[in-house]
Amino acid sequence: MEEKYGFVMCVCTGKCPGFQAMDIWDFINQVRVELPVEYGFIHPQLCEEDGDRFWADFLKANRKVIIGACAPNMQKKMFRQAFKDAGMDMEKDCVMLDIRDMTSEKAFEKVKAALIELGYEEEL
């Protein structure tokens, strides 16, 4: 594959009960080291004003991204305008995954499965 996706995780301030079963630091390190992603990092709350500023700056480079966070329908509602403003197609340039209420291992497998669907199977 030519262009790798990046992985951005939103943890809803880190206090959301949906992330209690996961060690977010082990998870993000496993994603960024073991999977074919360009980078992996955690943002505390992408749906807040600083999240809007983050997307405005980050998407200027037209980076394709996998978001691990809450329900994809909520992600679509909250981040649609940021992708539109950047001239990007959210359906084509973004994969939205709900990784709440999962252990680190289950969330890792979900991200891995998404990368396989995107055609990165040979790199895994």
Side-chain angles (χ1 to χ4, degrees), residues 63-83:
R63 295 177 172 112
K64 293 186 179 214
V65 65
I66 298 171
I67 305 170
C70 62
N73 63 330
M74 290 303 295
Q75 293 182 49
K76 192 176 287 190
K77 287 178 187 177
M78 292 185 289
F79 311 142
R80 180 180 317 161
Q81 191 62 47
F83 278 80

Side-chain angles (χ1 to χ4, degrees), residues 12-124:
C12 303
T13 72
K15 297 185 182 211
C16 173
F19 292 102
Q20 286 181 346
M22 183 187 301
D23 181 323
I24 61 172
W25 300 113
D26 283 350
F27 168 72
I28 196 68
N29 280 313
Q30 187 177 15
V31 167
R32 67 180 192 77
V33 171
E34 295 181 26
L35 295 178
V37 295
E38 192 67 28
Y39 49 80
F41 62 87
I42 297 172
H43 188 282
Q45 197 169 18
L46 287 167
C47 63
E48 286 294 327
E49 286 183 31
D50 71 317
D52 293 339
R53 291 188 299 272
F54 163 78
W55 283 127
D57 185 58
F58 183 79
L59 294 175
K60 286 179 185 174
N62 292 316
R63 295 177 172 112
K64 293 186 179 214
V65 65
I66 298 171
I67 305 170
C70 62
N73 63 330
M74 290 303 295
Q75 293 182 49
K76 192 176 287 190
K77 287 178 187 177
M78 292 185 289
F79 311 142
R80 180 180 317 161
Q81 191 62 47
F83 278 80
K84 184 178 178 183
D85 291 348
M88 296 177 70
D89 181 344
M90 192 168 204
E91 300 296 323
K92 186 179 82 176
D93 299 322
C94 181
V95 175
M96 297 161 276
L97 303 176
D98 185 346
I99 59 169
R100 293 170 300 166
D101 299 315
M102 293 184 179
T103 62
S104 301
E105 295 78 19
K106 285 184 181 180
F108 179 82
E109 290 303 319
K110 188 164 190 171
V111 176
K112 184 177 178 179
L115 286 162
I116 289 170
E117 281 188 42
L118 291 168
Y120 292 90
E121 188 167 14
E122 288 182 22
E123 297 180 44
L124 295 170

